[in-house]
Amino acid sequence: MRIWNSEHTFNHSWDTVVTAVWRKYPNPHNPSVVGLDVLDRSVDNEGRLKTHRLMSTSWGIPIWVTKLIGMQDTCFASEHSTVDPNSKTFTLRTKNVTLAHVLTVNEELIYTQHPTDPTKTLLRQEATVTVSGLPLCNRLEQMVTDAMSNNASKGRQAIEHVIDKIKKEARDFSLEAQKCMDNVLPKSASL
């Protein structure tokens, strides 16, 4: 078993980062995620949004590994998330479905408002990787944790990409709204 963890601070508010996380896929930084389907969504008695999604991915694992363990091109993971607007906490827990009999990856991402700067967001990420019943278990666990480390930076880049996209959409919307107001107001004033 290997444990991997990471911590990152976004220079954006919690609300902005959470909005970006929901819109993260598809993005050019994480092309391995090929689908994301909502299986269940509800709001509990405490006002927390709870969601269960199925993620479809193409992991890009070397061909010799896929042949060794009988893996297919598309892999699936189950993601359970909770957004708590009162505590400004967004927790995502993901577990692989594909190959769960030989490879278990449990990942948790927690986005919280930064404890000392409310204009920033703290991301804490941890994963436990266990390979069993295969030769070279330690090597395979190391390969998976190395890939997770590489993908974590890509995930952060993707969040920044989506935030930039959201800001551009807001600017475009504002400009378009102003054009509409400019076209409507002069006509209304002359009546």
Side-chain angles (χ1 to χ4, degrees):
M1 175 175 77
R2 291 194 187 268
I3 298 173
W4 173 86
N5 55 51
S6 168
E7 191 170 290
H8 178 75
T9 300
F10 289 97
N11 291 318
H12 307 284
S13 70
W14 182 82
D15 294 336
T16 300
V17 172
V18 168
T19 300
V21 171
W22 283 121
R23 294 182 55 185
K24 184 176 175 181
Y25 301 109
N27 72 72
H29 302 281
N30 301 104
S32 62
V33 178
V34 295
L36 202 56
D37 297 297
V38 175
L39 302 177
D40 188 44
R41 181 170 279 161
S42 62
V43 176
D44 69 11
N45 293 338
E46 296 177 30
R48 297 176 300 191
L49 175 65
K50 297 192 171 219
T51 305
H52 180 201
R53 301 191 297 182
L54 183 66
M55 183 180 294
S56 307
T57 61
S58 175
W59 289 359
I61 294 177
I63 192 97
W64 69 269
V65 175
T66 61
K67 286 184 177 184
L68 177 69
I69 58 179
M71 192 169 103
Q72 298 180 6
D73 291 340
T74 303
C75 300
F76 300 95
S78 175
E79 175 194 85
H80 290 270
S81 64
T82 303
V83 178
D84 187 340
N86 296 323
S87 67
K88 295 209 181 237
T89 304
F90 181 17
T91 305
L92 295 113
R93 289 183 180 91
T94 306
K95 182 176 182 174
N96 64 299
V97 175
T98 304
L99 299 175
H101 63 290
V102 292
L103 168 68
T104 304
V105 180
N106 289 304
E107 183 178 24
E108 181 178 71
L109 291 88
I110 303 172
Y111 297 86
T112 57
Q113 181 174 287
H114 195 279
T116 60
D117 187 346
T119 66
K120 296 181 179 182
T121 302
L122 182 62
L123 165 62
R124 289 190 178 104
Q125 193 171 359
E126 182 173 297
T128 304
V129 177
T130 306
V131 175
S132 58
L134 294 175
L136 306 169
C137 289
N138 288 337
R139 177 70 183 126
L140 293 172
E141 288 172 351
Q142 185 63 53
M143 287 174 64
V144 172
T145 54
D146 288 348
M148 293 186 83
S149 183
N150 183 41
N151 288 337
S153 65
K154 291 178 184 179
R156 293 188 293 267
Q157 291 171 3
I159 296 295
E160 294 290 347
H161 172 80
V162 173
I163 289 170
D164 289 343
K165 184 177 175 180
I166 290 168
K167 287 179 179 179
K168 182 186 179 311
E169 288 171 356
R171 282 190 304 272
D172 291 349
F173 180 75
S174 181
L175 289 172
E176 195 61 34
Q178 187 60 50
K179 285 180 192 175
C180 289
M181 292 302 291
D182 291 345
N183 288 335
V184 171
L185 288 178
K187 291 177 184 175
S188 298
S190 64
L191 293 177

